[in-house]
């Protein structure tokens, strides 16, 4: 009978090789600030993993998203197990003396995730409320008339119709470690309860094909996004390897342009809050979507918006080495210049950068004549950056959130921007006057 004899020098050599390999991986992670994550390919195979957050007959992952007119309408989405055939939202003004709810019926879609061996099919519901009162707080719940199961009561507030002070939060990629993202958001909400909504600059999850990752993120952020709108944009990681992430995104976020018949336009949308215009772009086909972007900017111009703010995932000006975005520079920057866009928000490059006010890619001295571009990350994945001459502030190795406040001063409307680290320490700030009157 053959016996396997492990010679001491072979064992020692093997141990040294494995030790060196491990040390190299750790060193790479430390030098490039890239977290070590083990994600075997079999996790994407059919019936390969169990659901981390199994659905139930009681609705969960309730998410509010802005409708086109945030002063009179608001959108909602949630999920249940496939045993629930119908969905409804009940709502009433928060100061109402009785529980005399108004109701709206939700649209149900079925979502099947092949990699899950349990709870692989769920029901997702979406509804948009209209004819709401401006600047009003409501309480609501979602559920099913068939099952009699309801969520806990939450609240939302509509936007003012006229120019009033408000603030919102911008966060870059939330790609990894949802528990860290959730704790950061809880801290933000405690420090800045006045924030009306949250914007996230794409790469919400690391692999969009996997429903578990979306469920994990939304479970950690549910207490916030069921009470305040979230404004998401698709990032490259959100699509996933086979594009199924787009289906999950559409099921979980009821964004204004979701019913578009154009696949390249479905993730683009715009909304107005107070006297500010917000335009959210999917950047997978920059040239092909330029017409949609220009129409959205024209509409904002016609509305007399005091500020125009655009968000998409991949930056126009890249602080990470060996990346470039020539299509955005060619097709979108001229539009930003022509329509005097104030602020462009992006993620993707996993460091922080704020540019000087730019026109045609060049810094301008007067802040009233240029567009400010921001790159930020909201998770613990960081890249080294290349110092750019157009940058006013750059750093890395720190997740940030940005509080952006729009107020009225003696000389007109003003946008005040402050970047904080996750502990609430100020890392950057600047002020922009209204775009009205730009030359």
């Amino acid at each position: 009978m053959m016996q396997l004899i492990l010679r001491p020098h072979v064992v020692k050599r093997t141990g040294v090789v494995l030790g060196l390999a491990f040390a190299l991986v750790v060193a790479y992670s430390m030098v490039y600030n890239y977290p070590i994550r083990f994600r075997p390919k079999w996790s994407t195979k059919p019936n390969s993993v169990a659901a981390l957050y199994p659905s139930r007959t009681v609705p969960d992952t309730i998410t509010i998203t802005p409708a086109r007119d945030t002063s009179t309408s608001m959108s909602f989405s949630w999920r249940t197990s496939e045993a629930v055939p119908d969905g409804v939202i009940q709502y009433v003004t928060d100061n109402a003396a009785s529980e005399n709810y108004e109701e709206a019926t939700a649209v149900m879609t079925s979502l099947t995730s092949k990699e899950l061996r349990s709870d692989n099919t769920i029901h997702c519901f979406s509804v948009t409320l209209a004819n709401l009162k401006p600047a009003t707080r409501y309480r609501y719940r979602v559920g099913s008339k068939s099952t009699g199961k309801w969520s806990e009561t939450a609240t939302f507030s509509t936007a003012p119709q006229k120019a009033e002070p408000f603030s919102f939060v911008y966060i870059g990629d939330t790609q990894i470690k949802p528990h860290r993202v959730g704790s950061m958001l809880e801290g933000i909400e405690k420090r800045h309860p006045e924030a009306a909504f949250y914007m996230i600059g794409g790469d919400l999850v690391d692999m969009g094909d996997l429903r578990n990752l979306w469920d994990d993120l939304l479970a950690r952020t549910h207490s916030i996004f069921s009470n305040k709108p979230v404004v998401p944009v698709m990032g490259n990681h959100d699509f996933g390897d086979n594009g199924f992430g787009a289906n999950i995104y559409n099921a979980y976020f009821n964004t204004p342009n979701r019913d578009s018949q154009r696949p390249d336009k479905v993730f683009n949308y715009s909304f107005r809050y107070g006297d500010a215009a917000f335009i959210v772009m999917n950047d997978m086909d920059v040239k092909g979507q330029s017409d949609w972007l220009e129409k959205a900017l024209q509409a904002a111009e016609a509305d007399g918006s005091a500020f125009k703010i655009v968000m998409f995932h991949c930056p126009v000006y890249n602080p990470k080495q060996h990346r470039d975005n020539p299509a955005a520079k060619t097709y979108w920057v001229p539009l930003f210049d022509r329509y005097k866009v104030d602020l462009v928000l992006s993620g993707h490059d996993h460091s922080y950068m704020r540019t000087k006010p730019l026109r045609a890619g060049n810094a301008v001295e007067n802040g009233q004549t240029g567009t400010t571009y921001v790159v930020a990350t909201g998770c613990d994945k960081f890249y080294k950056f290349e110092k750019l001459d157009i940058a006013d502030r750059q750093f890395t190795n720190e997740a940030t959130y940005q509080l952006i406040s729009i107020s009225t001063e003696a000389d007109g409307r003003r946008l005040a921007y402050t970047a904080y680290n996750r502990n609430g320490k100020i890392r950057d700030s600047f002020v922009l006057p209204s775009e009205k009157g730009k030359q």
Side-chain angles (χ1 to χ4, degrees):
M1 183 176 178
M2 253 183 103
Q3 289 186 339
L4 179 63
I5 300 175
L6 295 178
R7 301 178 184 274
H9 71 280
V10 174
V11 173
K12 183 177 179 180
R13 187 180 302 160
T14 303
V16 170
V17 171
L18 291 175
L20 286 172
F22 180 75
L24 285 171
V25 171
V26 172
Y28 176 87
S29 177
M30 293 176 65
V31 170
Y32 291 98
N33 299 298
Y34 195 91
I36 300 171
R37 302 193 300 284
F38 175 61
R39 188 173 297 103
K41 284 292 184 182
W42 57 258
S43 66
T44 63
K45 302 297 182 184
N47 304 315
S48 59
V49 294
L52 285 176
Y53 297 89
S55 62
R56 304 169 297 157
T57 52
V58 177
D60 61 12
T61 66
I62 303 165
T63 305
I64 305 175
T65 44
R68 289 184 178 89
D69 181 358
T70 53
S71 65
T72 60
S73 52
M74 199 68 72
S75 297
F76 302 80
S77 57
W78 64 93
R79 66 164 202 170
T80 66
S81 68
E82 60 178 332
V84 180
D86 64 305
V88 66
I89 184 170
Q90 296 182 334
Y91 61 101
V92 66
T93 56
D94 197 32
N95 60 3
S98 67
E99 297 296 319
N100 188 20
Y101 286 107
E102 294 186 66
E103 291 185 349
T105 302
V107 175
M108 188 270 286
T109 57
S110 183
L111 180 70
T112 299
S113 302
K114 294 180 180 179
E115 83 281 1
L116 298 178
R117 64 172 178 264
S118 60
D119 194 47
N120 59 356
T121 298
I122 59 174
H123 282 173
C124 297
F125 297 87
S126 62
V127 63
T128 297
L129 301 182
N131 300 316
L132 300 172
K133 298 177 181 178
T136 301
R137 182 180 173 92
Y138 287 82
R139 60 180 183 270
Y140 76 97
R141 64 178 186 171
V142 299
S144 164
K145 291 292 188 70
S146 299
T147 65
K149 299 292 180 69
W150 297 91
S151 69
E152 293 182 356
T153 301
T155 63
F156 70 92
S157 297
T158 53
Q161 275 188 320
K162 57 183 181 179
E164 293 183 8
F166 74 94
S167 63
F168 65 95
V169 171
Y170 170 69
I171 304 173
D173 305 31
T174 56
Q175 186 176 346
I176 63 170
K177 298 182 181 179
H179 67 286
R180 292 275 284 168
V181 173
S183 64
M184 183 170 74
L185 283 168
E186 289 172 1
I188 296 170
E189 192 62 23
K190 287 178 181 178
R191 286 187 288 270
H192 310 288
E194 73 280 8
F197 55 89
Y198 288 77
M199 302 182 76
I200 302 180
D203 280 3
L204 282 77
V205 298
D206 199 27
M207 290 184 67
D209 295 335
L210 305 182
R211 200 192 85 202
N212 269 341
L213 301 186
W214 295 96
D215 290 347
D216 197 8
L217 175 67
L218 292 178
R220 311 279 186 176
T221 57
H222 173 266
S223 63
I224 296 170
F225 295 157
S226 61
N227 289 279
K228 290 186 177 180
V230 58
V231 182
V233 66
M234 284 288 285
N236 53 298
H237 281 266
D238 297 326
F239 280 99
D241 292 336
N242 59 30
F244 185 70
N247 296 337
I248 302 176
Y249 176 98
N250 265 339
Y252 281 12
F253 300 108
N254 185 13
T255 55
N257 206 32
R258 194 173 62 156
D259 57 354
S260 171
Q261 299 302 305
R262 290 281 302 275
D264 59 335
K265 305 292 194 298
V266 70
F267 303 109
N268 300 340
Y269 59 97
S270 62
F271 65 96
R272 186 179 175 89
Y273 195 99
D275 60 348
F278 294 84
I279 299 170
V280 179
M281 296 294 298
N282 164 40
D283 51 20
M284 67 178 179
D285 176 18
V286 170
K287 180 180 178 181
Q289 296 177 105
S290 297
D291 59 337
W292 191 96
L293 174 61
E294 181 160 23
K295 288 176 183 177
L297 289 169
Q298 286 173 343
E301 187 89 347
D303 286 343
S305 299
F307 291 97
K308 302 183 188 75
I309 298 168
V310 179
M311 179 176 71
F312 49 90
H313 181 59
C314 295
V316 175
Y317 304 102
N318 301 85
K320 188 178 187 298
Q321 289 182 326
H322 311 304
R323 293 206 210 212
D324 197 16
N325 199 345
K329 292 173 184 174
T330 300
Y331 297 104
W332 286 4
V333 167
L335 295 177
F336 298 154
D337 291 345
R338 184 182 313 159
Y339 295 98
K340 301 171 186 173
V341 169
D342 298 277
L343 196 58
V344 172
L345 305 171
S346 298
H348 190 56
D349 279 354
H350 292 274
S351 65
Y352 180 88
M353 181 181 75
R354 172 176 59 83
T355 71
K356 302 167 185 175
L358 305 178
R359 279 188 73 82
N362 298 311
V364 294
E365 292 184 6
N366 185 348
Q368 287 190 300
T369 63
T371 299
T372 299
Y373 296 79
V374 170
V375 179
T377 182
C379 69
D380 295 337
K381 175 183 175 182
F382 307 111
Y383 292 151
K384 294 175 69 175
F385 65 86
E386 176 184 12
K387 179 135 183 77
L388 302 181
D389 291 338
I390 59 171
D392 212 355
R393 184 82 168 100
Q394 283 186 268
F395 57 84
T396 189
N397 298 344
E398 207 163 8
T400 65
Y401 68 90
Q402 289 62 232
L403 181 71
I404 300 168
S405 301
I406 294 177
S407 61
T408 302
E409 305 298 328
D411 57 350
R413 297 288 272 168
R414 187 183 75 161
L415 182 152
Y417 168 109
T418 307
Y420 298 85
N421 67 12
R422 71 167 64 248
N423 296 319
K425 179 182 177 182
I426 294 177
R427 301 293 283 116
D428 187 26
S429 64
F430 71 97
V431 174
L432 285 177
S434 167
E435 63 88 26
K436 289 180 180 179
K438 286 185 180 180
Q439 300 301 315

